[in-house]
Amino acid sequence: MPDTPSTDLSPREVLEAYHRAIVAADADAVAELYAVDAVHEFPFLFPGVTDYHGREEVRAGYRAAWEQSPARTEKVVEVAVHEGKDHELVIAERFFEGTISTTGESFLVPSILVLRVRDGRIVHARDYMDGLGTAKAMGALEYVVSALGANA
């Protein structure tokens, strides 16, 4: 996407492009959906996960997460998409379905994503993902418990 905002994409279309980029594990495609000064928040406590401030942090954060994780999302299953009176807002209830590359185990992780889209770009995201479910699928629960205990 070019640096100039695109009014051609609705919030729902941006959400669909976001899901395609997640399945492709394409950090550049994800980042280009964001405004330059966007904020992506992860409200749930999870070791090593921090909010992203700006498009380049989104790009770097997704790239690093995908390089470090054996979890490979193969499908995003939308349970429901909510659009209301606020035409900039779209909320997706969804599951990430995929495989852990190191074990071959499958996973299904629930998530809710709240996006505010202005002029065809994400300006704010709140990402509520089941971090413990993800850690369990990856066999990393002991690490998470240890990391949380170290920060107590």
Side-chain angles (χ1 to χ4, degrees):
M1 288 179 116
D3 241 1
T4 54
S6 169
T7 56
D8 295 340
L9 295 179
S10 70
R12 176 63 188 251
E13 291 168 325
V14 170
L15 174 67
E16 291 166 357
Y18 178 85
H19 286 164
R20 286 191 302 274
I22 294 294
V23 170
D26 185 340
D28 292 324
V30 169
E32 293 307 316
L33 294 169
Y34 285 76
V36 172
D37 58 350
V39 174
H40 189 119
E41 296 178 313
F42 299 94
F44 292 155
L45 173 65
F46 196 79
V49 175
T50 60
D51 297 344
Y52 303 141
H53 297 274
R55 180 188 297 156
E56 294 313 313
E57 280 192 21
V58 168
R59 184 185 322 275
Y62 273 93
R63 182 170 285 129
W66 286 326
E67 287 173 355
Q68 296 168 11
S69 174
R72 302 294 176 246
T73 299
E74 297 159 357
K75 185 177 182 183
V76 178
V77 180
E78 287 183 355
V79 175
V81 175
H82 306 278
E83 299 171 281
K85 290 181 182 180
D86 182 338
H87 298 291
E88 292 185 343
L89 200 63
V90 63
I91 301 165
E93 298 178 58
R94 67 222 176 132
F95 286 90
F96 292 103
E97 185 177 308
T99 305
I100 304 301
S101 63
T102 54
T103 65
E105 296 289 320
S106 61
F107 65 84
L108 190 64
V109 176
S111 170
I112 294 175
L113 181 67
V114 181
L115 293 180
R116 179 165 300 280
V117 177
R118 189 171 297 132
D119 297 325
R121 300 278 183 146
I122 298 167
V123 295
H124 190 256
R126 251 190 216 111
D127 201 340
Y128 300 92
M129 186 180 300
D130 179 4
L132 291 178
T134 301
K136 181 179 182 218
M138 294 182 347
L141 276 178
E142 286 183 28
Y143 161 76
V144 170
V145 170
S146 173
L148 288 173
N151 293 326

